[in-house]
């Protein structure tokens, strides 16, 4: 396990000198099958795999769950090693944000709606830490999950705007057998809430069916999603949006691809999910 940016960067540079490609999976730990699917893909596509575990304080709002965010470093290390991760980078917050840290990356329009609207400052924190991690790890390719679709789009835009030399791969959402998208925050759900949350994916599947059957009436699609989710007592809709996946603007009837994205509050837990329909 590597704890300092200097050591991590020296190791990466050494591996690059040996002509090895580096695949990078940034995480906040509490690893689940979603993260491991990214590691597996990186293992297939790259010579060396680096996984970072860092619960990034600056992407959490003042009333969010930074302090209670689940942390299982020993289990994470075991899982990462089992998947053949070559290097685990696990810095402490003061190492990433020493006293007098002052510079942030401020993302633009793509970050302003959806989770960006619900969590002011969140994507500024994400972009800042991801930019730092990219500079430290110097990966050839970074792997992100589709569940945080907006995050992946915002990061891709940052790479383009700031001429970063990193490729990005977005991999499909990994789901529990009942359809719930895997997320570290699922463990906050109590039993009654957990029983109800598969309704989120069920509603997305219904939307997908409607769109595939030719429906382009966004009002009708949203209404169907809402009706399904509202059968659950503990699930409160935050938003339902039908967007162009590239621009995150509302879909136009001529769009070839629809991103259907939902966010809901279940007790104190905020869950997000999405499907892309082409
Ligand atoms: O998706 C996450 O786990 C985090 O937002 C990331 C990309 C590791 C940055 O802290």
């Amino acid at each position: 396990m590597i704890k300092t940016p200097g050591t991590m960067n020296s190791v990466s540079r050494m591996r690059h000198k040996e002509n090895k490609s580096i695949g990078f999976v940034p995480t906040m730990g509490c690893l689940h099958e979603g993260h491991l699917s990214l590691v597996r893909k990186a293992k297939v596509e790259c010579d060396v795999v680096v996984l970072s575990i860092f619960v990034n304080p600056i992407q959490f709002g003042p009333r969010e769950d930074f302090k209670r965010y689940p942390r299982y470093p020993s289990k994470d290390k075991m899982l990462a090693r089992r998947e053949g991760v070559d290097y685990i980078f696990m810095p402490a917050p003061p190492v990433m944000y020493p006293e007098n840290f002052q510079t942030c990356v401020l993302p633009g329009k793509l970050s302003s709606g959806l989770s960006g609207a619900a969590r002011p400052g969140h994507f500024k924190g994400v972009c800042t830490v991801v930019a730092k991690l990219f500079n430290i790890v110097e990966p050839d390719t970074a792997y992100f999950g589709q569940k945080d679709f907006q995050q992946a789009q915002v990061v891709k835009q940052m790479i383009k705007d700031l001429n970063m030399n990193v490729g990005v791969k977005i991999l499909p959402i990994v789901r529990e057998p009942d359809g719930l998208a895997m997320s570290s925050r699922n463990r906050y759900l109590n039993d009654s809430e957990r029983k109800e949350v598969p309704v989120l994916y069920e509603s997305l599947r219904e939307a997908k069916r409607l769109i595939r059957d030719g429906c382009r009436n966004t009002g009708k699609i949203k209404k169907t999603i809402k009706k399904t989710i509202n059968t659950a007592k503990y699930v409160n809709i935050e938003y339902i949006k039908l967007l162009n996946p590239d621009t995150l603007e509302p879909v136009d009837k001529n769009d070839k691809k629809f991103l259907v994205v939902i966010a809901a509050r279940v007790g104190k837990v905020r869950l997000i999910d999405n499907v892309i329909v082409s």
Side-chain angles (χ1 to χ4, degrees), residues 26-28 35 54 56 59 126 129-130 144 148 151:
T27 81
M28 298 207 297
H35 300 114
F54 179 64
N56 175 33
Q59 71 185 71
V126 169
V129 80
V130 171
F144 291 87
D148 297 300
Q151 165 171 282

Side-chain angles (χ1 to χ4, degrees), residues 58-153:
I58 68 164
Q59 71 185 71
F60 290 80
R63 280 195 299 272
E64 292 183 355
D65 55 345
F66 172 66
K67 282 212 174 105
R68 70 178 183 125
Y69 193 84
R71 290 161 172 91
Y72 298 99
S74 307
K75 187 171 173 215
D76 288 346
K77 277 185 248 170
M78 185 272 289
L79 289 171
R81 289 207 183 101
R82 205 169 69 189
E83 293 299 332
V85 165
D86 297 282
Y87 303 101
I88 302 172
F89 178 50
M90 212 167 152
V95 172
M96 291 295 273
Y97 302 112
E99 233 176 89
N100 203 30
F101 177 87
Q102 312 187 6
T103 309
C104 286
V105 178
L106 190 61
K109 207 165 73 183
L110 278 175
S111 71
S112 60
L114 307 174
S115 292
R119 305 180 66 189
H122 170 68
F123 286 116
K124 179 178 164 192
V126 169
C127 284
T128 302
V129 80
V130 171
K132 281 170 72 70
L133 290 167
F134 283 175
N135 285 334
I136 295 165
V137 177
E138 298 192 26
D140 295 277
T141 310
Y143 295 81
F144 291 87
Q146 188 193 310
K147 189 177 77 64
D148 297 300
F149 189 85
Q150 187 181 17
Q151 165 171 282
Q153 293 302 82

Side-chain angles (χ1 to χ4, degrees), residues 16 36 55 111 163 182 217 230:
H16 277 311
L36 302 183
V55 185
S111 71
N163 305 88
M182 288 203 184
N217 180 335
N230 283 343

Side-chain angles (χ1 to χ4, degrees), residues 5-6 8-17 20-24 48 50 130-142 165-167:
M8 184 68 248
N9 190 252
S10 307
V11 169
S12 290
R13 288 190 168 204
M14 188 180 77
R15 305 312 306 257
H16 277 311
K17 267 197 195 131
K20 304 284 184 203
S21 60
I22 299 182
F24 177 45
V48 172
V50 178
V130 171
K132 281 170 72 70
L133 290 167
F134 283 175
N135 285 334
I136 295 165
V137 177
E138 298 192 26
D140 295 277
T141 310
N165 203 11
V166 182

Side-chain angles (χ1 to χ4, degrees), residues 175-176 178-181 185-204 228-229 231-236 262 264-267 269-273:
R175 298 183 179 280
E176 301 286 354
D178 62 9
L180 176 64
R185 290 190 168 98
N186 290 349
R187 63 181 60 230
Y188 295 150
L189 299 166
N190 66 32
D191 289 349
S192 322
E193 291 164 347
R194 177 64 190 82
K195 266 190 207 131
E196 285 195 336
V197 288
V199 81
L200 295 172
Y201 184 50
E202 198 184 311
S203 75
L204 288 174
T228 304
I229 297 181
T231 58
K233 195 162 91 190
Y234 303 108
V235 185
N236 297 301
I262 54 182
R265 301 260 172 196
V266 187
V269 191
R270 181 172 183 272
L271 297 179
I272 53 174
D273 201 350

